[in-house]
């Protein structure tokens, strides 16, 4: 969509959620509406801090939601269930019901991937059409597509992952097998939208997708938002290395229920998550250490998760010591503010001319996408935050 000089450039920023009726998405939709109505403070929203006030980020009031989902449960009904589970405060769904219904009306149903027999190119065209219809009907200035759908198993490397020309040729011949998350990433970029991989799914990680993002001039970010245990790891592991203490082992057990727990009960999906978790730890400590990360589905946990870590380390003279810690939290309440942060940041990055992997967003992810081929990735939380603040200062007043 283009606007003439006589047109007023619209302020609305579309947030197109893949998995729009899931717990994280609905918490984010309600979480954007509630502060607008003066019902809640934006606790947990990094970009609500004073340090970002001059960065020109879109207002929460400018965020308009839509998306894709396989579920037919309405956003309002899901919000009511989140209240029952203690995720949302009582009374919020009723107070922001109009906003929840508006978002629900903009959600488009899609079939389960296993049930969709259309060629991949045709599926992608349908996704693009839905996003473009959303943008045109509501005169969006920008759209940020955020993948908050269930985690996929690791996607096997394919020849067409390595270049855009090979990918396009494979799509034309209908031989390209693309993970659903990568189909959404491709569709988002072809629709001229920025894209966020909130999960560890393959998404925009293939080099062909980076090439596409650069060719069409959009930023993207990912992957696998750190909301609990890994957030703690990214702060604690640098403490050990800075203090010259030798970490010998790091083991973790994660107990969770709800939709995530059910998804991660699948060994393939769990592998995507554990690989994402361990990669950052190995980089922070400088080498792999003993220990494993376990993820267990405990349905009675509902939308809450518990993480227990056991860290073995050595001090002077090789004296053996341990640290044990427990993290308990509500996954959706931790994740939803980050969805809003990333939507605001990617929209502003797009406005400022950022193209390709948006490195300042590394602060939000377990396994950040490198800024370019061969580029190093920063995993230390404090350093990531400094980089994000530096970017915010660089776009202030622009």
């Amino acid at each position: 969509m283009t606007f003439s000089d006589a047109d007023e450039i619209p302020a609305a920023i579309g947030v197109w959620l893949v998995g729009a009726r899931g717990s994280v998405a609905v918490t984010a939709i309600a979480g954007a509406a509630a502060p607008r109505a003066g019902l809640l403070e934006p606790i947990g929203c990094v970009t609500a801090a004073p340090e970002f006030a001059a960065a020109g980020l879109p207002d929460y009031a400018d965020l308009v939601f839509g998306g894709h989902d396989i579920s037919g449960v309405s956003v309002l009904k899901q919000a009511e269930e989140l209240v029952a589970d203690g995720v949302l405060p009582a009374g919020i769904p009723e107070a922001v019901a109009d906003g929840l219904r508006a978002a629900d009306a903009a959600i488009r149903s899609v079939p389960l991937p296993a049930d969709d027999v259309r060629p991949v190119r045709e599926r992608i065209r349908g996704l693009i059409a839905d996003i473009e219809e959303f943008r045109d009907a509501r005169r969006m200035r920008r759209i940020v597509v955020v993948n908050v759908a269930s985690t996929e198993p690791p996607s096997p490397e394919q020849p067409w992952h390595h270049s855009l020309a090979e990918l396009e040729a494979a799509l034309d011949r209908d031989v390209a097998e693309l993970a659903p998350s990568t189909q959404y990433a491709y569709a988002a970029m072809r629709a001229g939208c920025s894209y966020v991989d909130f999960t560890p799914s393959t998404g925009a990680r293939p080099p062909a997708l980076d090439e596409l993002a650069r060719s069409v001039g959009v930023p993207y970010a990912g992957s696998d938002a750190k909301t609990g245990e890994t957030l703690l790891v990214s702060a604690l592991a640098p403490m050990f290395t800075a203090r010259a203490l030798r970490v010998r082992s790091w083991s973790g057990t994660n107990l969770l229920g709800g939709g995530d727990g059910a998804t991660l009960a699948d060994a393939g999906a769990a592998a995507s998550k554990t690989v994402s978790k361990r990669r950052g730890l190995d980089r922070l400590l400088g080498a792999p250490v003993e220990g494993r990360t376990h993820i267990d589905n405990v349905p009675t946990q509902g939308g809450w998760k518990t993480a227990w870590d056991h860290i073995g380390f050595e001090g002077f003279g090789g004296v053996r010591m341990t640290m044990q810690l427990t993290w308990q939290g509500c996954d959706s309440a931790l994740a939803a503010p980050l969805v809003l942060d990333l939507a605001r940041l990617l929209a502003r990055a797009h406005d400022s001319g950022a193209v390709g992997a948006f490195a300042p967003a590394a602060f939000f992810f377990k396994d950040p996408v490198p800024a370019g081929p061969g580029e190093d990735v920063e995993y230390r939380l404090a350093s990531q935050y400094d980089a994000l603040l530096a970017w915010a200062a660089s776009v202030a007043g622009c």
Side-chain angles (χ1 to χ4, degrees), residues 238-259:
M239 176 195 75
F240 285 103
T241 57
R243 183 60 179 78
L245 298 169
R246 181 180 299 168
V247 175
R248 306 293 302 207
S249 66
W250 198 312
S251 297
T253 295
N254 294 259
L255 311 177
L256 67 162

Side-chain angles (χ1 to χ4, degrees), residues 79-259:
E80 291 168 348
E81 292 178 0
L82 290 171
V83 170
D85 200 24
V87 178
L88 287 175
I92 290 297
E94 295 79 6
V96 298
D98 288 346
L100 299 180
R101 290 192 185 97
D104 196 68
I107 295 172
R108 298 293 172 260
S109 296
V110 290
L112 286 165
D115 296 336
D116 196 338
V117 297
R118 294 175 297 169
V120 175
R121 176 76 82 182
E122 186 178 338
R123 296 183 215 170
I124 291 172
R125 286 196 187 106
L127 301 178
I128 294 171
D130 288 340
I131 296 170
E132 290 180 339
E133 178 188 7
F134 176 68
R135 175 176 57 204
D136 295 344
R138 293 160 180 81
R139 299 187 79 246
M140 300 294 179
R141 182 166 59 81
R142 298 286 185 200
I143 292 182
V144 182
V145 177
V146 186
N147 177 25
V148 287
S150 298
T151 297
E152 300 166 352
S155 181
E157 187 173 299
Q158 302 288 351
W160 46 83
H161 282 175
H162 299 288
S163 83
L164 181 57
E166 291 181 26
L167 173 58
E168 297 291 3
L171 287 171
D172 288 339
R173 299 195 309 273
D174 193 28
V175 296
E177 296 178 11
L178 294 183
S181 60
T182 302
Q183 295 176 37
Y184 279 105
Y186 180 100
M189 293 173 185
R190 281 294 180 202
C193 306
S194 50
Y195 179 81
V196 176
D197 272 321
F198 205 79
T199 79
S201 300
T202 304
R205 292 197 80 101
L209 272 293
D210 180 76
E211 189 179 345
L212 174 59
R214 294 176 187 280
S215 69
V216 299
V218 299
Y220 68 96
S223 56
D224 198 7
K226 58 186 178 208
T227 57
E229 181 195 24
T230 311
L231 176 66
L232 197 62
V233 167
S234 65
L236 273 181
M239 176 195 75
F240 285 103
T241 57
R243 183 60 179 78
L245 298 169
R246 181 180 299 168
V247 175
R248 306 293 302 207
S249 66
W250 198 312
S251 297
T253 295
N254 294 259
L255 311 177
L256 67 162

